[in-house]
């Protein structure tokens, strides 16, 4: 069998795409390998969200050139969001690239591109509508416990910082029958957790005929699953976080008590310039609605510091928002100007050292809040799905996640991936918990 080394950068959508790439290429006789040295084909599934993600890809590509000199049979390809954005320009810069293919729906064409060489049209032409989910490839999944299920692709919002609309294209939803068939298959195979994926997952269904919505899909999946598995979803846009969705999370047994709700900034002035289409007050009202319906809901978020024009007062408003919401966890990023996006051309860019200072203050505050929250959970009993058995390096006998998506380590009980146990929380830290079987 030929050997494929697949290297994935970026978000969960990219991880899910990589499983599809592996699935498509398995049908072409490729098996996965861990090392680049014995690979016949190396594919980088790339990310374009921040400059750092791109730099990593470029430096890795440089090292692969040497491998190719040693082994001229080796093929090297670039997939995903950087490939989509840069297109065939990449071949000018890296002439030894054998393949360039965009993310999502372009995956099913990889075998054809591999055979066709460089003359093929490698990406959809700019005005050509991106293919819908007509060729939803069968993924080769990494886990036997947790599965990604892509339900929509692309994004119709035009946040001024974000490159995603230019890499993953406009919003397209996958037909519900297709999604339910995939879920049925996962249930039959014994999967314990399904994460529904989309760039704005809760905008699902708007462009389908007949029109449907995300809460309807959740209800349909929950009734298939009969409450036996866990359902998660990411990422949600606050604008589409409607009362019927809150009700669905509250009432459906399989839907976990965790919502990732990117806020990006705490100041209305910055939110306006980001074109997030909600105010701080509207966002906080959604959080209140969620907590009223599901008092113990866990909340996480994404934040950007140093967006163009972000002044000291704006940043302080991000800190007070953190204190008001008290997130269980968050991802914070320094603003990174992206090609094609409006904010990259704004004249009032924030200095790098100011961004660094702000992100450090923010992360420190978050660590303190999370530690206080987690200390408040000591002694509680929570349902844990085990994801990993004994790992001597980490000094744990098992690791899993609570329904609230908190990481929990065991040190006594030997457990296996896929086990569901009741655990009592015995120790609390900012980023994880420790526990033992209740
Ligand atoms: N710079 C920094 N962070 C960004 N994100 C998206 N675009 C940028 C950018 N240009 C962050 C947002 C988003 C997360 C996936 O990445 O917080 O929610």
């Amino acid at each position: 069998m030929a050997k494929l080394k697949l290297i994935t950068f970026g978000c969960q959508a990219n991880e899910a795409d990589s499983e599809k790439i592996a699935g498509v290429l398995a049908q072409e006789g490729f098996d996965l390998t861990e090392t680049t040295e014995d690979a016949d084909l190396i594919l980088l599934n790339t990310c374009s969200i921040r400059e750092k993600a791109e730099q990593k890809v470029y430096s890795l590509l440089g090292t692969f050139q040497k491998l190719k000199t040693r082994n001229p049979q080796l093929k090297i390809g670039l997939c995903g969001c950087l490939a989509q954005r840069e297109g065939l320009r990449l071949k000018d810069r890296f002439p030894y690239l054998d393949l360039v293919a965009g993310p999502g729906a372009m995956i099913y064409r990889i075998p054809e591109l591999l055979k066709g060489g460089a003359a093929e049209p490698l990406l959809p032409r700019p005005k050509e509508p991106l293919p819908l989910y007509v060729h939803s490839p069968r993924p080769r999944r990494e886990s036997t416990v947790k599965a990604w299920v892509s339900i929509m692709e692309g994004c119709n919002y035009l946040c001024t910082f974000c490159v995603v609309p230019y890499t993953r294209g406009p919003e397209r939803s996958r037909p519900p029958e297709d999604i339910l068939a995939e879920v049925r298959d996962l249930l039959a195979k014994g999967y314990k957790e399904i994460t529904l994926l989309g760039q704005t997952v809760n905008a699902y269904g708007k462009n389908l005929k007949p029109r449907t919505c995300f809460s309807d899909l959740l209800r349909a999946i929950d009734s298939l699953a009969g409450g036996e598995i866990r359902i998660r979803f990411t990422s949600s846009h606050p604008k589409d976080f409607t009362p019927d969705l809150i009700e669905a999370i509250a009432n459906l047994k399989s839907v976990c008590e965790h919502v990732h709700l990117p806020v990006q900034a705490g100041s209305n002035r910055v939110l306006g310039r980001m074109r997030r289409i909600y105010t701080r007050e509207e966002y906080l009202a959604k959080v209140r609605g969620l907590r009223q319906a599901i008092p113990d809901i866990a909340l996480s978020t994404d934040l950007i510091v140093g967006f163009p024009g972000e002044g000291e007062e704006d940043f302080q408003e991000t800190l007070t928002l953190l204190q008001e919401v008290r997130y269980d966890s968050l991802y914070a990023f320094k603003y990174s100007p992206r090609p094609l996006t409006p904010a990259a051309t704004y004249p009032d860019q924030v200095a790098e050292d100011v961004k660094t200072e702000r992100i450090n203050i923010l992360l420190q505050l978050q660590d303190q809040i999370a530690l206080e929250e987690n200390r408040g959970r000591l002694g509680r009993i929570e349902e844990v799905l085990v994801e990993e058995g004994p790992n001597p390096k980490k000094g744990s006998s098992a690791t899993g996640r609570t329904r609230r998506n908190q990481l929990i380590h065991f040190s006594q009980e030997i457990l296996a991936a896929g086990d569901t146990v009741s655990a009592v929380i015995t120790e609390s830290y900012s980023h994880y918990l420790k526990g033992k079987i209740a």
Side-chain angles (χ1 to χ4, degrees):
M1 262 187 130
K3 289 196 168 140
L4 163 67
K5 171 66 182 171
L6 188 51
I7 304 171
T8 310
F9 298 86
C11 63
Q12 292 100 330
N14 262 18
E15 286 177 30
D17 277 355
S18 280
E19 294 187 343
K20 291 176 201 161
I21 293 171
V24 163
L25 287 174
Q27 289 180 339
E28 302 289 312
F30 281 93
D31 203 4
L32 288 172
T33 173
E34 287 298 313
T35 62
T36 48
E37 280 71 24
D38 68 342
D40 301 289
L41 170 63
I42 302 177
L43 286 181
L44 299 178
N45 190 11
T46 61
C47 170
S48 188
I49 198 86
R50 281 168 293 275
E51 202 190 339
K52 231 195 233 164
E54 297 191 354
Q55 282 163 354
K56 274 194 239 163
V57 171
Y58 290 136
S59 75
L60 209 55
L61 261 186
T63 67
F64 291 160
Q65 186 171 19
K66 291 187 205 101
L67 285 176
K68 191 139 176 166
T69 332
R70 252 183 282 152
N71 171 15
Q73 301 301 313
L74 173 66
K75 288 197 168 183
I76 299 177
L78 223 69
C79 317
C81 290
L82 175 58
Q84 177 70 54
R85 216 203 63 223
E86 281 294 299
L88 293 178
R89 255 178 297 176
L90 285 162
K91 281 194 64 81
D92 299 333
R93 205 169 148 191
F94 304 99
Y96 52 93
L97 273 178
D98 296 284
L99 172 133
V100 180
M106 288 308 291
I107 290 169
Y108 72 94
R109 290 191 55 197
I110 289 177
E112 162 201 337
L113 297 180
L114 262 181
K115 285 169 204 152
E120 290 287 313
L122 300 180
L123 298 159
R125 279 172 288 276
K127 294 281 170 213
E128 195 173 286
L130 287 170
L132 277 164
Y133 279 90
V134 274
H135 300 270
S136 190
R138 228 169 220 276
R140 183 186 154 141
R141 301 184 195 274
E142 257 181 50
S143 164
T144 52
V145 177
K146 305 201 310 178
W148 309 115
V149 173
S150 310
I151 67 163
M152 55 94 71
E153 176 83 21
C155 182
N156 276 359
Y157 294 114
L158 289 167
C159 301
T160 55
F161 54 80
C162 190
V163 76
V164 167
Y166 312 99
T167 61
R168 288 193 177 261
E171 184 186 304
R172 286 100 63 210
S173 292
R174 195 175 160 198
E177 318 77 79
D178 242 40
I179 299 171
L180 294 176
E182 186 170 350
V183 169
R184 253 184 232 109
D185 181 54
L186 290 168
L187 291 170
K189 291 192 168 108
Y191 277 84
K192 300 282 163 53
E193 184 176 300
I194 290 174
T195 302
L196 307 174
L197 289 182
Q199 273 71 49
T200 47
V201 74
N202 56 334
Y204 173 79
K206 279 182 195 164
N207 48 13
L208 284 176
K209 288 191 186 90
R211 200 182 157 112
T212 174
C213 69
F214 185 56
S215 58
D216 280 347
L217 182 71
L218 281 181
R219 277 185 280 273
I221 296 176
D222 181 79
S223 68
L224 270 188
E228 287 305 305
I229 61 157
R230 289 176 168 192
I231 300 170
R232 301 187 185 279
F233 55 91
T234 199
S235 243
S236 294
H237 193 289
K239 188 75 186 172
D240 297 300
F241 224 94
T242 50
D244 65 298
L245 174 53
I246 295 180
E247 196 188 306
I249 303 168
N251 294 336
L252 301 175
K253 191 171 166 238
S254 52
V255 178
C256 287
E257 294 73 31
H258 167 235
V259 172
H260 184 66
L261 201 58
V263 66
Q264 312 298 2
S267 134
N268 282 334
R269 203 178 66 84
V270 174
L271 287 172
R273 288 179 38 121
M274 287 177 162
R275 219 188 280 144
R276 286 294 287 175
I277 55 174
Y278 54 80
T279 62
R280 173 190 178 105
E281 293 73 27
E282 284 164 347
Y283 181 92
L284 288 172
K286 306 244 168 175
V287 167
R288 267 197 306 280
L290 262 164
R291 288 204 164 129
Q292 251 157 31
I294 313 134
D296 198 30
I297 189 99
L299 293 176
S300 57
T301 201
D302 291 344
L303 283 159
I304 296 176
V305 299
F307 183 79
E310 183 190 70
E312 191 50 40
E313 334 72 73
D314 297 308
F315 176 61
Q316 288 303 324
E317 290 195 56
T318 293
L319 297 182
T320 58
L321 183 103
L322 250 61
Q323 280 156 335
E324 263 184 69
V325 177
R326 296 182 69 81
Y327 292 102
D328 292 82
S329 66
L330 59 79
Y331 297 96
F333 309 101
K334 295 191 232 179
Y335 170 70
S336 167
R338 303 285 63 220
L340 310 174
T341 63
T345 64
Y346 292 177
D348 42 2
Q349 301 289 324
V350 173
E352 188 61 26
D353 56 338
V354 175
K355 290 181 193 170
T356 306
E357 192 189 333
R358 287 183 186 163
I359 203 168
N360 289 340
I361 294 171
L362 190 152
L363 291 174
Q364 210 180 339
L365 172 63
Q366 174 56 26
D367 277 359
Q368 182 198 324
I369 292 171
L371 185 61
E372 286 165 11
E373 288 297 313
N374 288 346
R375 286 204 175 128
R377 306 193 78 79
L378 281 172
R380 288 206 203 196
I381 292 173
E382 298 203 34
E383 179 202 288
V384 174
L385 173 61
V386 177
E387 293 178 359
E388 198 188 331
N391 186 332
K393 263 196 236 151
K394 292 185 197 154
S396 65
S397 63
T399 301
R401 279 184 190 267
T402 66
R403 287 181 63 92
R404 302 176 76 258
N405 206 34
Q406 289 193 288
L407 197 61
I408 179 160
H409 295 289
F410 296 85
S411 55
Q412 308 294 318
E413 300 92 350
I414 305 283
L415 300 164
D419 289 350
T420 301
V421 296
S422 272
V424 58
I425 297 164
T426 55
E427 286 177 49
S428 297
Y429 302 88
S430 293
H431 298 268
Y432 64 95
L433 306 167
K434 285 190 178 180
K436 58 182 187 195
I437 289 186

